[in-house]
Amino acid sequence: MNLKGSLSAAEVHKQYSDGVTAFRRQITDATLRIKFTQEVDIFFRACTLGVWGRDGASITPRHVEYYNAIYTKGNPVPAILFWELSTAVSEYPGFQPPPFFARMRASDKVSGTHLARRFIDLMTLMQLLFAAVDDVVSEEEAGFVNACADSLSALCDRDGLKGGKAPLDAKDFISKRPEADGPGDEAAPPPP
């Protein structure tokens, strides 16, 4: 996933859609696949509100374009307006696991699969993609992403679902906002 440089809304949509579609193909439980398909875009749009609210930066037209790019084929295309998005970010009620996640954990428990843990990685990557709307992933955004992942991981732990590999750490993706060069600023020498 490309997190560096400016991504257009079309590129964000493609990365989002490709990631979600690839994950959906792994779901063998037909009922779970239907629930996932119906609920995933709504869940990720809600996550996006939380990520952007943590950043503290002002909402821009680019945020609107990114938000409206969060949909998969066959689901409604959002058409939020700037003021609606600004209000939604300020009124974000807090992270909630997606409704399909309980069935996903139950399916993993019965079948011995690891869909729930893989979904946590997908969620982390998608939230980082949305956090980079301004080409930066702030410490606050990364902290929010990790808290969401920890919340879902705790549900998996409670259900006795073993984790495979170490989960992604959003803090590994923190980037700094470029500072404007002032008069007399010199470039720092490269590290030895």
Side-chain angles (χ1 to χ4, degrees), residues 7-62:
L7 292 175
S8 70
E11 291 168 316
V12 168
H13 169 71
K14 180 166 177 22
Q15 286 192 25
Y16 172 76
S17 182
D18 288 353
V20 169
T21 301
F23 183 85
R24 182 176 44 232
R25 281 191 214 115
Q26 299 175 38
I27 303 172
T28 57
D29 176 327
T31 303
L32 174 57
R33 192 172 44 254
I34 291 167
K35 287 181 70 59
F36 177 85
T37 300
Q38 293 170 338
E39 299 169 359
V40 71
D41 295 343
I42 296 164
F43 169 73
F44 277 123
R45 286 194 292 266
C47 288
T48 302
L49 300 175
V51 169
W52 292 341
R54 292 309 177 278
D55 187 43
S58 296
I59 299 299
T60 67
R62 188 167 183 197

Side-chain angles (χ1 to χ4, degrees), residues 1 3 32 34 80 91 102 108 122 135 146 168 174 176:
M1 175 173 12
L3 290 178
L32 174 57
I34 291 167
I80 201 165
E91 294 177 351
D108 281 351
L122 174 69
D135 300 326
N146 280 340
L168 293 172
I174 292 173
K176 302 291 181 205

Side-chain angles (χ1 to χ4, degrees), residues 34 44 49 58 64 66 74 77 82 88 98-99 104-105 133 157 166 168:
I34 291 167
F44 277 123
L49 300 175
S58 296
V64 175
Y66 268 44
V77 178
F82 178 83
M104 189 175 284
R105 295 189 325 271
V133 65
D157 293 343
L168 293 172

Side-chain angles (χ1 to χ4, degrees), residues 27-130:
I27 303 172
T28 57
D29 176 327
T31 303
L32 174 57
R33 192 172 44 254
I34 291 167
K35 287 181 70 59
F36 177 85
T37 300
Q38 293 170 338
E39 299 169 359
V40 71
D41 295 343
I42 296 164
F43 169 73
F44 277 123
R45 286 194 292 266
C47 288
T48 302
L49 300 175
V51 169
W52 292 341
R54 292 309 177 278
D55 187 43
S58 296
I59 299 299
T60 67
R62 188 167 183 197
H63 287 84
V64 175
E65 291 173 0
Y66 268 44
Y67 186 90
N68 287 334
I70 303 172
Y71 66 93
T72 51
K73 184 178 180 180
N75 282 341
V77 178
I80 201 165
L81 300 174
F82 178 83
W83 64 270
E84 292 171 319
L85 182 59
S86 296
T87 301
V89 168
S90 70
E91 294 177 351
Y92 175 70
F95 179 77
Q96 292 294 317
F100 61 77
F101 197 66
R103 185 174 181 103
M104 189 175 284
R105 295 189 325 271
S107 177
D108 281 351
K109 201 166 191 168
V110 170
S111 64
T113 55
H114 297 78
L115 280 175
R117 298 283 185 179
R118 282 184 279 185
F119 177 75
I120 296 168
D121 285 343
L122 174 69
M123 180 195 68
T124 300
L125 290 171
M126 290 301 129
Q127 287 191 24
L128 288 168
L129 176 66
F130 309 140

